[in-house]
Amino acid sequence: WEECFRALNHIGYDGPISVEWEDAGMDRLHGAPEALAYIRSLNAITPPDAAFDAAFSSES
């Protein structure tokens, strides 16, 4: 999932996201909030404003 969200953030996607969650072994009232929290944490991954190595090229 992380790779998918990184790719969406990289292209600037800000539209809706639909994730199907199925786990017959877990009650949905417990599992759905847990799954939502996980997806929200991945959606918080934002691309940097500059390339990684750009921080090393600036003079102090």
Side-chain angles (χ1 to χ4, degrees), residues 42-56:
L42 293 177
N43 196 38
I45 299 171
T46 56
D49 293 330
F52 176 77
D53 55 354
F56 300 108

Side-chain angles (χ1 to χ4, degrees), residues 17-49:
I17 296 172
S18 176
V19 177
E20 183 176 342
W21 171 73
E22 293 182 19
D23 186 345
M26 181 182 289
D27 182 88
R28 69 175 185 226
L29 296 178
H30 174 76
E34 184 179 295
L36 178 60
Y38 176 70
I39 294 300
R40 282 185 172 158
S41 74
L42 293 177
N43 196 38
I45 299 171
T46 56
D49 293 330

